[in-house]
Short mmCIF file of all heavy atoms in Angstrom, two decimals:
data_model
loop_
_atom_site.label_atom_id
_atom_site.label_comp_id
_atom_site.label_asym_id
_atom_site.label_seq_id
_atom_site.Cartn_x
_atom_site.Cartn_y
_atom_site.Cartn_z
N ASP A 377 7.22 -2.34 19.20
CA ASP A 377 6.29 -3.16 20.04
C ASP A 377 4.93 -2.52 20.22
O ASP A 377 3.89 -3.21 20.03
CB ASP A 377 6.94 -3.48 21.39
CG ASP A 377 8.23 -4.30 21.22
OD1 ASP A 377 8.31 -4.98 20.25
OD2 ASP A 377 9.10 -4.28 22.11
N ARG A 378 4.87 -1.29 20.54
CA ARG A 378 3.60 -0.57 20.76
C ARG A 378 2.83 -0.48 19.52
O ARG A 378 1.58 -0.50 19.47
CB ARG A 378 3.85 0.82 21.39
CG ARG A 378 4.01 0.84 22.85
CD ARG A 378 4.07 2.30 23.34
NE ARG A 378 2.92 3.08 23.01
CZ ARG A 378 1.82 2.99 23.76
NH1 ARG A 378 1.63 2.23 24.84
NH2 ARG A 378 0.74 3.78 23.47
N GLY A 379 3.47 -0.26 18.26
CA GLY A 379 2.93 -0.14 17.14
C GLY A 379 2.54 -1.41 16.39
O GLY A 379 1.88 -1.38 15.33
N GLY A 380 3.01 -2.56 16.92
CA GLY A 380 2.78 -3.85 16.20
C GLY A 380 3.40 -3.86 14.87
O GLY A 380 2.82 -4.29 13.83
N GLU A 381 4.66 -3.31 14.79
CA GLU A 381 5.32 -3.12 13.48
C GLU A 381 5.98 -4.35 12.94
O GLU A 381 7.19 -4.57 12.96
CB GLU A 381 6.35 -1.95 13.60
CG GLU A 381 5.75 -0.62 14.07
CD GLU A 381 4.71 -0.12 12.98
OE1 GLU A 381 4.61 -0.66 11.90
OE2 GLU A 381 4.08 0.90 13.28
N PHE A 382 5.12 -5.20 12.45
CA PHE A 382 5.55 -6.48 11.80
C PHE A 382 4.69 -6.53 10.48
O PHE A 382 3.44 -6.36 10.47
CB PHE A 382 5.25 -7.68 12.67
CG PHE A 382 6.06 -7.66 13.93
CD1 PHE A 382 5.51 -7.00 15.12
CD2 PHE A 382 7.35 -8.06 13.99
CE1 PHE A 382 6.23 -6.93 16.27
CE2 PHE A 382 8.10 -8.08 15.23
CZ PHE A 382 7.54 -7.48 16.38
N GLY A 383 5.34 -6.83 9.46
CA GLY A 383 4.68 -6.77 8.07
C GLY A 383 3.59 -7.83 7.98
O GLY A 383 3.67 -8.96 8.42
N THR A 384 2.48 -7.34 7.39
CA THR A 384 1.31 -8.20 7.20
C THR A 384 1.58 -9.29 6.19
O THR A 384 1.13 -10.38 6.35
CB THR A 384 0.08 -7.30 6.53
OG1 THR A 384 -0.14 -6.25 7.49
CG2 THR A 384 -1.14 -8.21 6.37
N THR A 385 2.36 -8.93 5.13
CA THR A 385 2.72 -10.00 4.15
C THR A 385 3.88 -10.88 4.58
O THR A 385 3.84 -12.15 4.45
CB THR A 385 3.10 -9.26 2.82
OG1 THR A 385 1.97 -8.46 2.41
CG2 THR A 385 3.48 -10.24 1.74
N THR A 386 4.90 -10.33 5.10
CA THR A 386 6.19 -11.10 5.38
C THR A 386 6.29 -11.46 6.87
O THR A 386 7.08 -12.40 7.18
CB THR A 386 7.37 -10.44 4.90
OG1 THR A 386 7.48 -9.22 5.68
CG2 THR A 386 7.28 -10.09 3.42
N GLY A 387 5.74 -10.70 7.78
CA GLY A 387 5.98 -10.84 9.14
C GLY A 387 7.28 -10.28 9.67
O GLY A 387 7.64 -10.35 10.74
N ARG A 388 8.02 -9.64 8.72
CA ARG A 388 9.31 -9.02 9.08
C ARG A 388 9.15 -7.84 9.99
O ARG A 388 8.13 -7.01 9.91
CB ARG A 388 9.97 -8.58 7.83
CG ARG A 388 10.61 -9.70 6.98
CD ARG A 388 11.29 -9.14 5.69
NE ARG A 388 10.45 -8.38 4.80
CZ ARG A 388 10.83 -7.86 3.63
NH1 ARG A 388 12.07 -7.99 3.23
NH2 ARG A 388 9.98 -7.33 2.86
N ARG A 389 10.07 -7.71 10.93
CA ARG A 389 10.02 -6.55 11.85
C ARG A 389 10.34 -5.30 11.09
O ARG A 389 11.36 -5.24 10.28
CB ARG A 389 11.11 -6.82 12.92
CG ARG A 389 11.03 -5.73 14.08
CD ARG A 389 12.06 -6.08 15.13
NE ARG A 389 12.15 -5.13 16.17
CZ ARG A 389 11.50 -5.28 17.35
NH1 ARG A 389 10.74 -6.35 17.53
NH2 ARG A 389 11.56 -4.46 18.31
N ARG A 390 9.49 -4.28 11.17
CA ARG A 390 9.74 -3.02 10.47
C ARG A 390 10.77 -2.18 11.18
O ARG A 390 10.94 -2.18 12.46
CB ARG A 390 8.42 -2.25 10.34
CG ARG A 390 7.46 -2.94 9.53
CD ARG A 390 6.10 -2.19 9.55
NE ARG A 390 5.07 -2.94 8.77
CZ ARG A 390 3.80 -3.09 9.25
NH1 ARG A 390 3.33 -2.51 10.32
NH2 ARG A 390 2.95 -3.78 8.43
N ARG A 391 11.47 -1.41 10.40
CA ARG A 391 12.41 -0.42 10.93
C ARG A 391 11.66 0.82 11.34
O ARG A 391 10.82 1.31 10.57
CB ARG A 391 13.49 -0.12 9.82
CG ARG A 391 14.26 -1.34 9.37
CD ARG A 391 14.79 -1.14 7.94
NE ARG A 391 15.83 -0.07 7.92
CZ ARG A 391 16.36 0.34 6.74
NH1 ARG A 391 15.86 -0.22 5.59
NH2 ARG A 391 17.22 1.26 6.76
N CYS A 392 11.88 1.40 12.42
CA CYS A 392 11.16 2.56 12.97
C CYS A 392 12.06 3.77 13.05
O CYS A 392 13.22 3.73 13.34
CB CYS A 392 10.51 2.25 14.29
SG CYS A 392 9.36 0.94 14.29
N GLY A 393 11.39 4.93 12.92
CA GLY A 393 12.14 6.21 12.91
C GLY A 393 11.23 7.40 13.24
O GLY A 393 9.96 7.20 13.20
N TRP A 394 11.78 8.49 13.41
CA TRP A 394 10.96 9.73 13.71
C TRP A 394 10.26 10.12 12.40
O TRP A 394 10.61 9.70 11.27
CB TRP A 394 11.84 10.87 14.17
CG TRP A 394 12.54 10.67 15.49
CD1 TRP A 394 13.90 10.66 15.71
CD2 TRP A 394 11.92 10.40 16.76
NE1 TRP A 394 14.12 10.42 17.00
CE2 TRP A 394 12.95 10.30 17.71
CE3 TRP A 394 10.58 10.29 17.19
CZ2 TRP A 394 12.74 9.97 18.99
CZ3 TRP A 394 10.36 10.02 18.55
CH2 TRP A 394 11.50 9.91 19.48
N PHE A 395 9.18 10.99 12.55
CA PHE A 395 8.47 11.46 11.38
C PHE A 395 9.49 12.26 10.52
O PHE A 395 10.22 13.13 11.03
CB PHE A 395 7.30 12.38 11.86
CG PHE A 395 6.39 12.66 10.73
CD1 PHE A 395 5.18 12.00 10.52
CD2 PHE A 395 6.66 13.76 9.91
CE1 PHE A 395 4.41 12.31 9.43
CE2 PHE A 395 5.82 14.10 8.92
CZ PHE A 395 4.64 13.40 8.67
N ASP A 396 9.38 12.06 9.23
CA ASP A 396 10.22 12.63 8.21
C ASP A 396 9.54 13.70 7.48
O ASP A 396 8.68 13.23 6.51
CB ASP A 396 10.99 11.62 7.38
CG ASP A 396 12.04 12.23 6.43
OD1 ASP A 396 11.91 13.34 6.10
OD2 ASP A 396 13.03 11.48 6.11
N GLY A 397 9.59 14.92 7.74
CA GLY A 397 8.88 15.92 6.99
C GLY A 397 9.34 16.22 5.61
O GLY A 397 8.57 16.77 4.75
N VAL A 398 10.58 15.81 5.28
CA VAL A 398 11.06 15.99 3.96
C VAL A 398 10.33 15.03 2.95
O VAL A 398 9.85 15.46 1.96
CB VAL A 398 12.55 15.79 3.88
CG1 VAL A 398 13.07 16.02 2.39
CG2 VAL A 398 13.31 16.73 4.77
#
Side-chain angles (χ1 to χ4, degrees):
D377 293 339
R378 277 185 58 83
E381 298 298 352
F382 299 90
T384 303
T385 299
T386 64
R388 287 182 294 185
R389 188 180 181 92
R390 294 174 184 141
R391 301 156 64 189
C392 296
W394 298 120
F395 191 93
D396 189 329
V398 180

